[in-house]
Amino acid sequence: RNFKDVRKYLDQEYFNVKEMQNKNSAAAGICNFVINIVKYYDTVKDIEPKKQALKEATNQLNDANSKLTSVMDSVAKLEARLEKLTTELKEANRSKQEAMDAVVTGERKLNLAQRLTTALSSENQRWAENVVALKQKDKLLPGDALLASAFVAYMGPFTKPFRVHLMENVFRPFLEKEFRKISNGTGEGYTFPLSQNMDVVASLTTNADVAQWNADSLPADVVSTENGCIVCNSNRWPLIIDPQLQGISWIKQKESAPERNLKIVRLGQHDLIQKLEIALENGYTILIENLGESIDAVLMPVIQRSTIARGNKQFIKLGDKECDFNPKFRLYLHTKLSNPHYPPEIQAETTLVNFTVTMMGLEDQLLNLVVEKERPDLASLSNSLVQQQNEFTIQMNQLEDDILHKLAAAEGDITENVELIEGLEKTKETCDIIQQKSELAKKTQRDILVTSEKYRSVANRSALLFFLMTDLVKIHTYYIYSLAAFQQVFYRGIEISGSDGPTESELTDDEKEAKVKARCDKLLNNITLSVFNYVRRGLFEADKLTVATLLTLKILVNDGKVDADEVEFLVNGGSSIDPGNMGPLQEWMPESIWAKVKALETLPRFKGFGDSMQSDSDEWRDWFDTEQAEEAQIPGEISTILSAIDRLMLLRAMRPDRLMNSLASFVTNTMGKDYISQKPFSMSSAFEETNKRTPMFFVLFAGVDPTPWVEGLGKEKGISTENRRFVNISMGQGQEAPAEAVVKQFAQEGGWVMLQNCHLMSSWVPKLERLLEVVSEGAHEDFRCFISAEPPPMASMINMPESLMQSCIKVANEAPSDVQSNLIRAWDNFSPDIFESCNKPGQMKACLFSLCWFHAIVSGRRRFGQQGWSRKYSFNTGDLVICSNVLRSYLDANPIVPWDDLRYIFGEIMYGGHITDAWDRRTCNTYLQEYQQNGLFHELELAPGFKSPNPSDFDYDAYIKYTENSMPPESPLLFGMHPNAEIGFRTNSTEKLFFDILAMGGGSDGAGSGEGSQRNAVRETMTYIQERLPEEFEMVSLSLKAKPLLEGPAGPYIVVALQECSRMNALISEIRKSISDLDKGLKGQLNMSQAMEDLVSAFNMNQWPGRDPFSKCMWEKLAWPSQKNLSSQFSDMLLRVDQLAKWTEELETPKSIWLPGLFNPSSYLTAAQQVTARDTGVALDKMTIETHFTNMWDASDVKDYAKDGTYIQGLYLEGARWSQGEGAGDAYEVSGTICSGYLCNSKLKELMSPAPVIYIKIVPIQQHWEASSVGFLRHDPQIYECPVYTTSFRGPTYVFMATLRIDDSASTVAKWTLLGVALLLQTND
């Protein structure tokens, strides 16, 4: 009850220890006791019942545990008994399971073994055969490996025919010989360790590799596959000769994997060394493209693989730095040059690989392109099948390798490897599927091939066209084309052919065949014409007929319509060594033509032709004298059997001057008029073929400016200087940077840039070529680049990069060269205002028209070659315009026309400023004497049938109409020249045409065929020369013999003889040495040098070696000037040796010397002056030469030595002849020598007439004679001062000035001057 009553106090707020402490500490103690005792009471009251319950539970638990212990003892006994029984049961079950597992394992192994046997059973036979084959190959491995190694080491630069020749006729016999030595001469029964029909490709690679190469764009032809083997198996870095860029395309694909990190660089590139260093260290691939013929020396350690070993690492020196060399590094060298000449160290340290496309290879490629265009369904199917087959080949190879690898790597009992057997089953199943698909694909491909082959003729013709294009560079360095450009033209030819008729499903089989044939004919015509027009647009006028003729001949031979031997005869010409008696033909036929006629008899249809001509001599003479012989009826029965090509050969032999016309008709009749008649140049049509990657190249000619064409077309297309999208830059010093900036700008923004006169920047143009290549990759579609340049002085000179010219569309649009066109074009340079601005308009009109006529004549005279102008001069409209300004000024300033002043300014300063030859200056001044005179105002005859109009009756337009309506037909007479000049021009044109065709390999073979016959021809030429080459003169004995005679009266002549013998010895020695070296080179005993190759080229063309100014042969440099071919000049050399041999036998000076037979004819004439000076006592520098033509026409008629001079013989007159017989007039005597005759007009078709024995008289110089650079000019109206040249090339071959009598009552000096009369020491025959 106390605990209950106290609780009301406990609930009070103040009843706590803290509060009580503040009041009274004793109270706080009592308070604390009360609070705690109450809590204790409450706790005891709650726990005590629980303690009682726990005690009771514990007692119960103890009772239960006692009972449990008793039960557990019983359970333990039972469990022990159960465990014993269970163990016995498990042992019984294990024995049972082992028995069952053994049964299952046996069944499974049996099943797997059966599956494995089934999976590999089909491979058993093949693998067994392979084992036998491998064992056999193992025996042949040494020889095959050696032959394959030789192929990789040596075959790369050569063409397929020469590779076959070396392998079969050189390497294999050599190995067999060596193996025979090793076998100690074992005879019959000995088996060489060398396969009989070894496949080099199969030895060096696998089908899977080849398939992968083809997938990487390597052409599938045999040569390309062989090249792939060489590139991939050579230890040396490959140097790829790749003008068509097929090899580099393959390399780029082959090395395109990310881990190869291919870098393409060029020599001269600023970061070349940096990229090369990175590639060397990391094992990447470097491709150096567009190499020239030299390689930077800093690259040589890399090319030579000159590594330095330090520990486990290798280093290579690159400049001044040593770089790590990673064995995975790859280097490819590439050149676009078609026939590069690398120094021996480059050839030795690299593997040259010739990727130049072959005729057969290109034909196959073009066949695919034709089918792709014509039958895209078949092309698509074929391409997918080829790709599928390539993938199948690769996959089959991988699967087979996988099978063998799994079998070889299997461990333990193979019949227990379920995963292996299941994998083999899947692999075999895949192989079977692939095999089935492959068989189906092969059958489909065969069907496609049958259809594709129907277009083979198109591909064959197209390949022929491409190789003709590639040969044109031998005519001129501007005529160079790429395969990519050709393919574009090839596609264009297909596109313009359109599509024909109904689909094939609507046609019968015969109709399908007829349709395909008609389609192929159409494609042939269109592709051929497209290619020809593309090429012709860039040809010079002089070469267009050449290319048309060559194209026609090649097509006829390729199509089997003309025999190749006949074409070769036409191109090479022919001349019989022993033509025999001419009979009645000698009255009118030159001996040189008779030799060519007899050569024709070697052809079947001309058998007995010479005898037939002798029987019908009068008829043949009439035909020979006919002006247009090509159109006249051929005499005799032979006319009924001659083909078109036979008629060409006949004209080639007898009337070469008419052959150009006949060839034009021949091409027209064979190919069509479009191959001769050319449409006017269309700038818009040419522009359609350009794109941002294809520049347009204009060839600059006098009077031709392409700028208006480009500007006019640009305005039509909204591109002009006004809107700043067209820039015209005339290149010169300091213009490089502006040109490059414009090219870069327009490549980004779009626009046209025209770079003119690039020939002046030959060192910068290669940089332009690279710039265009770089910017064109991402160029604006409206970007265009136009380039212009003058052609180089010589066709074989290079002033533009080869790669740039390959990519350009070339335009060579020459102005017409006839007199009428030149005259009208010259007159068009002026307007009527020029007359009104002069205070003497009438005189101004007449003088200006005469000046334009003069300009037209001196410009047109170039067509006659050296007889027209002995050197080439670039007369231009600038000269004409300046002369017109001078004319107007002088007319205004003088009361009468100052003719002398005008003629001097025109002939000596303006036009004469171009002229470097004194005789040409005389010709120019003679024209001015004829045209610039008072007769102009009184209808002066400017040319036969063409008078100067009366200026008072003519205005500006009337002069043009007068020129158009009254101009006589074009002929040499307009130039004051003989009709023979036209014949000579046409004959020379014919010879040049066939020489150019011969330089391109002739008109019959194509793309490398006929190499064996050319090699045989070279051998025959070498043998012919070696057998006839005379021994050298013994100079020691000659010198001893001459020593006592040198102080005698004939001493100067003796010196000349010794000098001539010394020079002849040098030539003979060089000929013997060069032929000996060439013989060793052809046998492989010496490296073929450039000089040897030039010698072979000259032999093939029957050209005197070294005639080409870029040739390395020394024959021409050591010989005398000549225009003869090889056989003629060699015969000429033998005659010279004979003359020297007779002369030096007793060192007695000939009474009459064959002056053309001397190296230095001037020295002999100088010797004559020296001898005369000693005899007369007159100073040598006070004497000169005077010539008199004797009445002796044969050297044997000369019985005595000439007084005060010497006799010479063997010269020829060009442009005139020397009269004889009754026309020679009265004879006269000069110092005891009987002389006679005058200059007279040439006989028609007699281009060069022989001169009689000439008396060279040494005379004192007279005071009234004018000293000049060419001799002392007499200015005698009865004397024509005639230049004497060594050859018809004139110009630099000038020897001395002859003085020829003329009949001043019948002719003037001006007549013979304008005729271009000259004496020549030799003909061209």
Side-chain angles (χ1 to χ4, degrees), residues 535-546:
V535 171
R536 178 168 59 179
R537 185 173 52 210
L539 296 177
F540 301 163
E541 286 295 329
D543 297 325
K544 290 180 179 178
L545 182 59
T546 303

Side-chain angles (χ1 to χ4, degrees), residues 640-681:
T640 60
I641 62 174
L642 294 184
S643 63
I645 199 80
D646 294 331
R647 293 173 182 269
L648 293 177
M649 288 188 281
L650 179 61
L651 288 171
R652 174 105 160 93
M654 298 186 66
R655 289 295 303 275
D657 59 300
R658 303 307 303 175
L659 189 56
M660 299 290 281
N661 293 50
S662 186
L663 284 172
S665 299
F666 174 72
V667 172
T668 299
N669 296 333
T670 305
M671 304 294 295
K673 64 179 182 180
D674 290 334
Y675 290 82
I676 296 299
S677 301
Q678 183 178 5
K679 296 179 181 179
F681 171 68

Side-chain angles (χ1 to χ4, degrees), residues 846-891:
C847 291
L848 183 60
F849 185 73
S850 173
L851 187 61
C852 290
W853 171 260
F854 165 76
H855 177 80
I857 291 297
V858 297
S859 299
R861 190 178 172 93
R862 286 179 293 207
R863 65 182 292 197
F864 300 109
Q866 268 61 34
Q867 190 175 356
W869 299 110
S870 63
R871 302 175 190 268
K872 294 181 179 181
Y873 303 117
S874 57
F875 304 124
N876 53 61
T877 55
D879 302 319
L880 176 63
V881 172
I882 295 175
C883 286
S884 69
N885 295 333
V886 172
L887 173 64
R888 182 177 56 186
S889 299
Y890 272 68
L891 289 178

Side-chain angles (χ1 to χ4, degrees), residues 94-112:
R94 187 182 65 78
S95 299
K96 176 183 176 183
Q97 188 63 43
E98 286 179 354
M100 294 175 65
D101 290 344
V103 172
V104 171
T105 299
E107 292 177 349
R108 185 176 66 251
K109 289 179 69 174
L110 178 61
N111 182 43
L112 291 175

Side-chain angles (χ1 to χ4, degrees), residues 890-951:
Y890 272 68
L891 289 178
D892 289 343
N894 294 275
I896 61 173
V897 181
W899 295 115
D900 291 338
D901 294 345
L902 291 174
R903 286 193 291 260
Y904 182 83
I905 293 173
F906 299 163
E908 296 290 342
I909 300 175
M910 301 313 305
Y911 285 86
H914 295 281
I915 298 174
T916 57
D917 185 272
W919 301 109
D920 289 339
R921 181 173 284 105
R922 180 182 70 167
T923 302
C924 178
N925 288 328
T926 301
Y927 274 129
L928 289 168
Q929 289 283 352
E930 296 292 312
Y931 301 149
Q932 293 290 311
Q933 54 166 293
N934 281 322
L936 282 175
F937 312 131
H938 307 289
E939 297 186 344
L940 172 70
E941 191 171 64
L942 300 173
F946 189 70
K947 297 180 179 180
S948 173
N950 188 338

Side-chain angles (χ1 to χ4, degrees), residues 1061-1087:
C1061 289
S1062 178
R1063 293 189 63 175
M1064 184 61 74
N1065 279 354
L1067 177 60
I1068 293 174
S1069 175
E1070 174 61 25
I1071 292 175
R1072 181 172 285 111
K1073 177 181 180 300
S1074 60
I1075 291 181
S1076 175
D1077 289 346
L1078 177 59
D1079 181 57
K1080 293 176 182 177
L1082 294 176
K1083 292 177 179 177
Q1085 298 171 352
L1086 285 178
N1087 285 335

Side-chain angles (χ1 to χ4, degrees), residues 1169-1188:
Q1169 289 180 270
Q1170 290 175 327
V1171 170
T1172 305
R1174 292 176 182 179
D1175 290 343
T1176 61
V1178 179
L1180 183 62
D1181 60 352
K1182 300 296 183 181
M1183 307 188 78
T1184 189
I1185 292 173
E1186 185 175 275
T1187 59
H1188 299 275

Side-chain angles (χ1 to χ4, degrees), residues 756-1035:
Q756 303 235 44
N757 300 314
C758 286
H759 60 282
L760 303 175
M761 310 291 292
S762 56
S763 61
W764 171 78
V765 176
K767 187 175 181 181
L768 170 65
E769 181 267 335
R770 177 57 178 167
L771 176 62
L772 290 174
E773 183 176 345
V774 172
V775 301
S776 64
E777 292 299 324
H780 193 281
E781 290 299 326
D782 290 338
F783 171 65
R784 294 293 186 277
C785 181
F786 302 91
I787 303 170
S788 70
E790 290 183 7
M794 302 181 67
S796 53
M797 291 178 64
I798 298 175
N799 67 352
M800 290 285 117
E802 181 178 306
S803 54
L804 177 63
M805 296 304 295
Q806 280 183 328
S807 62
C808 285
I809 290 177
K810 291 172 276 291
V811 177
N813 190 29
E814 293 183 65
S817 60
D818 61 285
V819 175
Q820 185 181 64
S821 298
N822 280 334
L823 179 56
I824 293 175
R825 191 164 52 251
W827 190 253
D828 281 342
N829 285 289
F830 310 101
S831 66
D833 297 339
I834 194 172
F835 308 138
E836 299 174 2
S837 63
C838 180
N839 57 21
K840 298 181 180 67
Q843 294 178 346
M844 183 65 185
K845 278 191 286 186
C847 291
L848 183 60
F849 185 73
S850 173
L851 187 61
C852 290
W853 171 260
F854 165 76
H855 177 80
I857 291 297
V858 297
S859 299
R861 190 178 172 93
R862 286 179 293 207
R863 65 182 292 197
F864 300 109
Q866 268 61 34
Q867 190 175 356
W869 299 110
S870 63
R871 302 175 190 268
K872 294 181 179 181
Y873 303 117
S874 57
F875 304 124
N876 53 61
T877 55
D879 302 319
L880 176 63
V881 172
I882 295 175
C883 286
S884 69
N885 295 333
V886 172
L887 173 64
R888 182 177 56 186
S889 299
Y890 272 68
L891 289 178
D892 289 343
N894 294 275
I896 61 173
V897 181
W899 295 115
D900 291 338
D901 294 345
L902 291 174
R903 286 193 291 260
Y904 182 83
I905 293 173
F906 299 163
E908 296 290 342
I909 300 175
M910 301 313 305
Y911 285 86
H914 295 281
I915 298 174
T916 57
D917 185 272
W919 301 109
D920 289 339
R921 181 173 284 105
R922 180 182 70 167
T923 302
C924 178
N925 288 328
T926 301
Y927 274 129
L928 289 168
Q929 289 283 352
E930 296 292 312
Y931 301 149
Q932 293 290 311
Q933 54 166 293
N934 281 322
L936 282 175
F937 312 131
H938 307 289
E939 297 186 344
L940 172 70
E941 191 171 64
L942 300 173
F946 189 70
K947 297 180 179 180
S948 173
N950 188 338
S952 59
D953 298 335
F954 279 71
D955 59 10
Y956 178 86
D957 293 330
Y959 274 97
I960 297 178
K961 292 180 181 178
Y962 175 71
T963 302
E964 293 174 342
N965 299 329
S966 303
M967 173 73 72
E970 184 89 4
S971 74
L973 299 177
L974 297 179
F975 302 87
M977 303 186 75
H978 192 274
N980 279 352
E982 181 74 13
I983 295 175
F985 163 70
R986 290 177 175 272
T987 301
N988 291 335
S989 298
T990 297
E991 293 302 321
K992 182 180 182 303
L993 182 147
F994 284 114
F995 179 81
D996 288 340
I997 291 178
L998 193 60
M1000 289 186 286
S1004 61
D1005 57 9
S1009 64
E1011 289 183 2
S1013 61
Q1014 289 185 357
R1015 194 160 50 245
N1016 292 336
V1018 169
R1019 286 285 187 188
E1020 290 174 3
T1021 303
M1022 292 167 59
T1023 302
Y1024 177 86
I1025 294 176
Q1026 285 176 316
E1027 290 175 351
R1028 292 163 177 78
L1029 190 66
E1031 293 297 324
E1032 299 172 29
F1033 292 97
E1034 181 52 60
M1035 294 305 298

